[in-house]
Amino acid sequence: MTLRQLFPKSFRLHFQLLKRHFADRRSGVSKKFAKAERRAGDFQFSIAIRQPIFPNPFLENKIHNLRLAIGRVEKVVVLPGEVFSFWKIVGAPGKKQGFREGRNLIAGKLQQDFGGGLCQLSGILYHAALVGGLKIEERHNHSTDFYADHERLTPLGADATVAFGYKDLRLENGFPFPVRFGFDLKNDGLVCRLESPVFLPAAALFFEIQEQENRKIVATRRVFEAGKLSVLVAESVYL
């Protein structure tokens, strides 16, 4: 009998959440999490990323889930030195929390689960953070790449998957001023803006893809000024 058979999913999740909680306390990051319900300053400058939203049988549920999560993210101002945690802000993506069923990529397969579509939100947040120069404290790429180039929402290597209790997206504000995220959501597209009270230069991103046997390795590089050396910010492996 396997551990998955011995312990139900709810038990494993509760145990994982406890592990996260104590790990965050030991590292000190729990004191740095950005809090909801805060507004401050005049955020007149922004860097925007747009992604399409493709039709699917769960489109209405996906839009609902995105709108619900966006409403929570937009309330947050990330002060200097604070860390934006996707799950600390969005919360558990369950039915009791108002989320609906949709498509999720779980263990390399598209499956039906509550909170479907939230990975597009975490992905566009990650992409905006890369372009805007936020520090990436935690990010996980999808394990499998099964899209053709014309089907992608974002360049390969610019995605960020999240799984409640297990995989988070965490972005640190290393600037001496606050930042926040704003959104425009329609049935056919999502826009994410990294907003700030002072001008933020947009970085150029380069995604270098190497194919090795049955996997792809993507090196994500960031450069802010022409002629400057690029900085490796992430390496993603896809089956």
Side-chain angles (χ1 to χ4, degrees):
M1 185 173 289
T2 66
L3 289 176
R4 287 183 175 274
Q5 293 171 322
L6 282 172
F7 300 105
K9 182 179 179 181
S10 59
F11 177 88
R12 297 195 306 270
L13 175 58
H14 183 66
F15 178 71
Q16 185 65 27
L17 288 170
L18 283 175
K19 282 179 60 179
R20 276 259 176 184
H21 172 74
F22 288 112
D24 288 341
R25 288 189 63 179
R26 286 195 302 270
S27 67
V29 71
S30 59
K31 298 180 180 180
K32 298 170 63 177
F33 287 131
K35 304 295 192 301
E37 305 298 339
R38 292 194 301 191
R39 291 281 176 175
D42 180 14
F43 296 81
Q44 57 181 314
F45 299 95
S46 65
I47 293 173
I49 300 293
R50 186 188 187 281
Q51 292 181 358
I53 295 178
F54 296 130
N56 69 72
F58 293 96
L59 178 61
E60 183 178 344
N61 286 1
K62 177 176 181 176
I63 296 298
H64 170 86
N65 291 339
L66 286 172
R67 184 169 288 114
L68 185 60
I70 283 171
R72 297 172 183 179
V73 173
E74 284 190 322
K75 293 177 181 178
V76 179
V77 169
V78 188
L79 299 178
E82 287 190 336
V83 174
F84 172 94
S85 164
F86 186 88
W87 288 126
K88 289 292 182 182
I89 300 304
V90 173
K95 183 178 181 179
K96 292 182 179 180
Q97 290 76 25
F99 290 93
R100 298 177 182 175
E101 287 186 303
R103 295 197 311 172
N104 273 337
L105 184 61
I106 303 173
K109 297 180 180 179
L110 280 174
Q111 302 181 36
Q112 187 173 324
D113 197 7
F114 283 97
L118 290 182
C119 281
Q120 180 159 9
L121 179 58
S122 60
I124 201 169
L125 283 165
Y126 172 64
H127 198 169
L130 283 177
V131 175
L134 296 184
K135 297 180 181 179
I136 313 302
E137 294 297 328
E138 181 181 348
R139 169 259 178 182
H140 306 269
N141 61 274
H142 288 88
S143 59
T144 305
D145 174 39
F146 56 88
Y147 291 110
D149 286 340
H150 69 279
E151 298 173 321
R152 298 191 191 284
L153 302 173
T154 190
L156 187 64
D159 60 306
T161 184
V162 286
F164 184 67
Y166 294 87
K167 297 178 180 180
D168 199 2
L169 174 69
R170 295 183 174 184
L171 313 169
E172 182 175 345
N173 178 12
F175 297 115
F177 47 82
V179 297
R180 70 184 184 192
F181 295 100
F183 301 89
D184 294 315
L185 173 63
K186 297 182 180 179
N187 283 359
D188 63 347
L190 173 63
V191 175
C192 174
R193 298 182 304 277
L194 175 60
E195 302 174 344
S196 65
V198 300
F199 175 74
L200 277 179
L205 300 180
F206 300 93
F207 302 94
E208 302 170 350
I209 302 176
Q210 292 185 350
E211 296 195 20
Q212 297 183 0
E213 298 179 353
N214 62 340
R215 63 179 185 170
K216 297 177 181 178
I217 302 175
V218 183
T220 302
R221 298 186 180 276
R222 178 167 61 188
V223 59
F224 281 97
E225 295 181 38
K228 298 289 185 179
L229 291 175
S230 61
V231 177
L232 179 67
V233 291
E235 187 172 87
S236 311
V237 179
Y238 305 86
L239 299 179

